[in-house]
Amino acid sequence: MNLVRILLVEDDTMIASGLQYALEAEGYEVAHAKDVAAAKLFAAQDRFDLAVLDMQLPDGSGWDVQAMLSGTSVLFLTVVDDEGAMVRALENGADDYIVKPFRLREFLARVKSALRRRAGGAGDTLSVGEVVIHPAKHTVHAGGRALELTALEYKLLLLFAANPGQTLTRTQILDRLWDGAGDFVEDNTLSVCIKRLRQKLGGAADIQTVRGVGYRVAE
């Protein structure tokens, strides 16, 4: 069985050593970089299942590191407790956004959630309306055209495709998307994600609002 490889990019040595120890104790293989330059070297040499990125680094930001990674789930660590920054991170493909200070058990739970979502991406072709999803390739097509979705939009579409015609409450959606960590996510993030997903799908799939309850996709 291959080890899960995690890239940890954190310039605070105390925080980094504690996180690396905890992750390795869980059986993960961890590569630690203290800045963007060091992360670039790791990214050029290896592929990672998950990247844990400090948002503010001595020579750049977590955004710079994320841009170097392909096919890697991303979890941001930051002292910036700002809804706008969180929404931007999730819309740009991050799997999670954790504000410092945080509890170690919470951090490990969210790492495991991100990795489970990644592992659960494989499967047969799914369809909803005129949209065709290829989980093994992480691609989505509508009317013959490829759609560019963020990681969060993609996961939301998968959830709807797995439950066609079923009304899902907002709480159910948050819990399933973040595997029980929905309490840590602003509810407004879901509204933004639904809106953007609708825009990208156009009329290919009908995401309906069930007022006062949640959402469903017409079969």
Side-chain angles (χ1 to χ4, degrees):
M1 180 178 179
N2 294 328
L3 287 176
V4 172
R5 291 183 52 77
I6 296 178
L7 175 62
L8 171 63
V9 185
E10 169 63 66
D11 64 312
D12 187 310
T13 55
M14 291 292 291
I15 293 177
S17 62
L19 293 181
Q20 184 168 1
Y21 178 83
L23 289 168
E24 290 177 343
E26 293 291 322
Y28 305 126
E29 184 176 324
V30 181
H32 172 230
K34 64 179 180 180
D35 52 30
V36 175
K40 184 176 182 179
L41 293 177
F42 280 121
Q45 297 170 359
D46 297 297
R47 290 186 64 83
F48 295 92
D49 300 288
L50 176 69
V52 178
L53 310 177
D54 187 8
M55 191 70 82
Q56 298 172 313
L57 298 165
D59 56 347
S61 71
W63 303 114
D64 300 320
V65 179
Q66 183 184 30
M68 304 173 189
L69 303 170
S70 177
T72 302
S73 298
V74 172
L75 188 159
F76 278 119
L77 301 178
T78 178
V79 296
V80 181
D81 187 6
D82 176 74
E83 180 181 343
M86 179 195 69
V87 171
R88 178 191 171 195
L90 296 174
E91 287 183 345
N92 281 278
D95 281 73
D96 211 339
Y97 183 101
I98 301 179
V99 178
K100 300 176 181 177
F102 51 82
R103 297 181 296 275
L104 184 58
R105 289 181 62 186
E106 172 193 335
F107 167 76
L108 291 174
R110 291 165 77 165
V111 164
K112 291 176 182 177
S113 293
L115 291 170
R116 282 199 300 271
R117 289 194 297 271
R118 174 186 173 86
D124 297 330
T125 298
L126 296 173
S127 63
V128 55
E130 298 176 8
V131 178
V132 179
I133 309 165
H134 303 270
K137 299 179 180 178
H138 293 274
T139 59
V140 179
H141 289 78
R145 63 188 176 92
L147 301 183
E148 294 294 330
L149 304 181
T150 67
L152 189 58
E153 290 164 354
Y154 176 74
K155 292 166 196 164
L156 183 58
L157 181 60
L158 278 179
L159 179 59
F160 283 135
N163 298 276
Q166 179 179 340
T167 298
L168 301 174
T169 68
R170 295 179 69 89
T171 299
Q172 285 176 322
I173 294 172
L174 288 172
D175 284 347
R176 295 187 192 185
L177 286 181
W178 285 277
D179 288 336
D183 289 341
F184 302 111
V185 180
E186 289 290 338
D187 190 60
N188 182 57
T189 304
L190 177 59
S191 298
V192 172
C193 188
I194 290 283
K195 178 181 178 181
R196 291 186 178 275
L197 182 58
R198 279 173 169 159
Q199 291 172 343
K200 292 182 180 181
L201 294 178
D206 183 16
I207 301 177
Q208 303 171 345
T209 299
V210 181
R211 191 171 300 279
V213 181
Y215 304 93
R216 68 167 171 256
V217 172
E219 297 184 77

